[in-house]
Amino acid sequence: MPLLWDKTIDSYLDRNERRKCWKDIFCKMKPLRFDDIETRNYRKTTDKLAPIRSVFDGFVERCLECYSVGENCTIDEMLEGFRGRCSFRQYIPSKPNKYGIKIQALVDSKTYYTSNMEVYVGTQPDGPFKCDNSPSSIVKRLISPISKTGRNITMDNWYTSIPLAIDLLENHKLTIVGTIRKNKREIPKCFLDTKKREVNSTIFGYEKNIILLSYVPRKNKNVMLISTMHEKGLIDDSTVGKKPEVILYYNSTKSGVDVVDEKKEEYSVARVSCRWSLTVFFSLMNIAGINSQIIYYENTNKVIPRRLFLKELGKELTKNHMTRRLQIPTLSFTLRQNILKLTGYKSNEETTSDVVTSRTKCFFCPSRKNRFTKVK
């Protein structure tokens, strides 16, 4: 059952009880492993992600099988906070955690379903897992499940480039909308000069199947975007600042990964750990909770608060285990009653009479009094 983060734990526990609570959590996580430790050193010679490779790949495979994303997707990076020892730990000052493990993700822009992911581990050793880590190569690997489906991909300026946009359109039948950095050699100089331009003005540039625009939101500041989805550079006069339709479309579809990060932090199973594999596993657990609720809504059309959904999900996942424990004859009375309450099952003892023929020790009286009773 997922351990939901309780933000009030420090408010009702004193220091000693709080220390004991966290100690119990750490002791329970200590034996948690995701691979065979005897073969780990051999697998790490060709794969830096060896301690959790099988779990991560299996999770991504099931995410792709269980749901088909919509017409608009977002590609961006997640940063799972981690300050321990890790050879591929990243520093991104714009993220809330700043230090952590970077995960590239493909997310549905409307439902926020995480479809495909890839952990950035730097340069891999020679072997089957070695690959190119350039932005264009990462994008092509992430969009491979939806290649030639006519969908649109929204990206930020780290991924976007004009050669990539043309390649995705011609070879993968996918359009893109994204910001682009100003140091690209394909951008004309007139798009970069903002000294003589008015505020809220827009310049459009057209080439075959691609639009380049430069918008000035304030003086001496411009924003560059490209689009292979839009055919004409239209401006919406009803908006504040007379923004182009390309920018409005980008703003409406760019926040897929950011919303997933917000949902993960709202109800998180993450705990402080010095093992980076646990950090990745906690991220998968948080994403699994979000994806499962999306699939449940699409199948039933029922809206359930996320907290209640995660609570019921935990009960259903542990129901078989709890029913198996009921078969243990030496199970304590309190634990048996709690399991019966959670599962909704009726005990065999409830169907029998309250009066038994043999005398047994009283459950409520102290053991030193050694009292016997026929009432159960």
Side-chain angles (χ1 to χ4, degrees), residues 135-149:
S136 59
S137 299
I138 293 174
V139 170
K140 291 176 184 178
R141 289 196 295 270
L142 290 176
I143 59 94
S144 58
I146 60 172
S147 180
K148 300 182 180 179
T149 58

Side-chain angles (χ1 to χ4, degrees), residues 31 34 45 64 75 88 135 146 162 198 200 286 321 369 373:
F34 314 103
T45 59
L64 293 171
I75 290 180
F88 47 87
I146 60 172
I162 293 178
E198 298 180 358
N200 300 330
N286 293 329
H321 176 68
K369 293 188 177 181
T373 180

Side-chain angles (χ1 to χ4, degrees), residues 84-284:
R85 185 178 299 176
C86 181
S87 61
F88 47 87
R89 188 185 64 181
Q90 297 291 303
Y91 170 69
I92 303 179
S94 60
K95 296 291 183 179
N97 294 318
K98 292 183 174 55
Y99 289 92
I101 298 173
K102 185 167 70 172
I103 301 177
Q104 321 277 355
L106 175 71
V107 178
D108 191 306
S109 301
K110 183 179 180 181
T111 62
Y112 310 117
Y113 181 90
T114 304
S115 179
N116 199 4
M117 292 183 295
E118 180 180 308
V119 179
Y120 178 80
V121 295
T123 304
Q124 287 271 36
D126 294 336
F129 298 100
K130 188 173 184 179
C131 57
D132 187 7
N133 287 324
S134 63
S136 59
S137 299
I138 293 174
V139 170
K140 291 176 184 178
R141 289 196 295 270
L142 290 176
I143 59 94
S144 58
I146 60 172
S147 180
K148 300 182 180 179
T149 58
R151 290 178 170 85
N152 180 75
I153 311 296
T154 302
M155 301 178 288
D156 62 8
N157 57 16
W158 191 81
Y159 301 95
T160 308
S161 64
I162 293 178
L164 175 63
I166 297 174
D167 186 19
L168 292 182
L169 183 63
E170 294 179 352
N171 299 327
H172 299 275
K173 309 301 179 185
L174 298 174
T175 60
I176 75 165
V177 175
T179 56
I180 186 171
R181 293 184 176 179
K182 302 172 185 177
N183 58 357
K184 304 298 182 182
R185 61 182 181 180
E186 295 88 356
I187 300 177
K189 292 183 179 180
C190 61
F191 281 72
L192 304 175
D193 188 11
T194 59
K195 293 183 180 180
K196 298 181 180 180
R197 292 179 56 184
E198 298 180 358
V199 178
N200 300 330
S201 63
T202 306
I203 296 179
F204 292 97
Y206 300 91
E207 199 175 338
K208 183 180 179 181
N209 299 326
I210 189 169
I211 295 178
L212 172 68
L213 68 89
S214 173
Y215 174 73
V216 180
R218 57 180 181 270
K219 191 170 181 61
N220 296 329
K221 173 70 176 180
N222 69 328
V223 180
M224 308 287 300
L225 286 93
I226 64 170
S227 173
T228 58
M229 178 183 178
H230 300 80
E231 297 179 356
K232 297 181 181 179
L234 302 179
I235 297 177
D236 191 350
D237 296 330
S238 62
T239 59
V240 178
K242 297 181 178 180
K243 295 180 180 178
E245 289 187 355
V246 177
I247 292 182
L248 297 177
Y249 187 86
Y250 173 79
N251 292 336
S252 64
T253 58
K254 71 176 182 178
S255 59
V257 178
D258 295 334
V259 173
V260 173
D261 283 335
E262 292 177 2
K263 289 187 174 184
K264 287 194 300 182
E265 291 297 326
E266 186 177 4
Y267 295 104
S268 176
V269 302
R271 296 293 184 268
V272 178
S273 175
C274 294
R275 294 163 50 198
W276 63 263
S277 57
L278 265 182
T279 301
V280 176
F281 176 72
F282 290 146
S283 178
L284 297 183

